[in-house]
Amino acid sequence: MSAVPVYRWRLAPDGLATRRQLRSRGLRPGGQPVAAQLERPRRRRGPLVAYLYRLDLAKPVRPMTPGRAAALQRAMAARRTCPSCRRDAGYCIPPSLGMCVPCAYPNQRYEE
């Protein structure tokens, strides 16, 4: 295993970017290995770590196809559907409740 260089927060050289920075430029890592690591120190816990990728090896983001768009719509519809009442809640069901709010708290009144 080769060691990657570690840079402190805001001190990374040009030509390296995090996944989010790549995405904002319309790029993706494209299977390249991590080129460096960025660490942001914290007081009471370990440092925050972000992995950096080379910009020159990054590839463009794949375009959204009709099949992928349909699959994404189905996945989001499943997240909005309450398993107990089978209605579309209009929002993503919180995992902590596991059902829509009216089903989780049936004794309270809600305006619809």
Side-chain angles (χ1 to χ4, degrees):
M1 180 174 157
S2 64
V4 296
V6 177
Y7 298 102
R8 294 200 35 111
W9 190 250
R10 298 183 188 264
L11 296 178
D14 293 336
L16 298 177
T18 63
R19 282 182 178 269
R20 285 187 180 194
Q21 291 169 339
L22 288 175
R23 189 61 180 207
S24 69
R25 295 179 183 197
L27 300 171
R28 62 185 168 95
Q32 65 174 300
V34 173
Q37 185 173 318
L38 189 68
E39 288 188 354
R40 180 179 179 199
R42 296 192 290 183
R43 290 180 186 232
R44 295 194 171 110
R45 294 181 278 178
L48 290 175
V49 175
Y51 299 112
L52 300 172
Y53 300 92
R54 291 179 42 185
L55 285 172
D56 59 339
L57 297 178
K59 297 181 180 177
V61 175
R62 294 183 186 119
M64 181 66 75
T65 63
R68 288 176 65 195
L72 182 60
Q73 282 182 335
R74 287 192 305 270
M76 292 306 293
R79 290 183 67 190
R80 288 191 313 265
T81 304
C82 176
S84 61
C85 67
R86 292 291 184 201
R87 288 188 302 174
D88 186 346
Y91 54 87
C92 289
I93 304 293
S96 59
L97 295 178
M99 60 185 71
C100 65
V101 175
C103 291
Y105 303 105
N107 296 334
Q108 296 180 7
R109 290 187 176 189
Y110 298 98
E111 294 181 25
E112 293 184 24

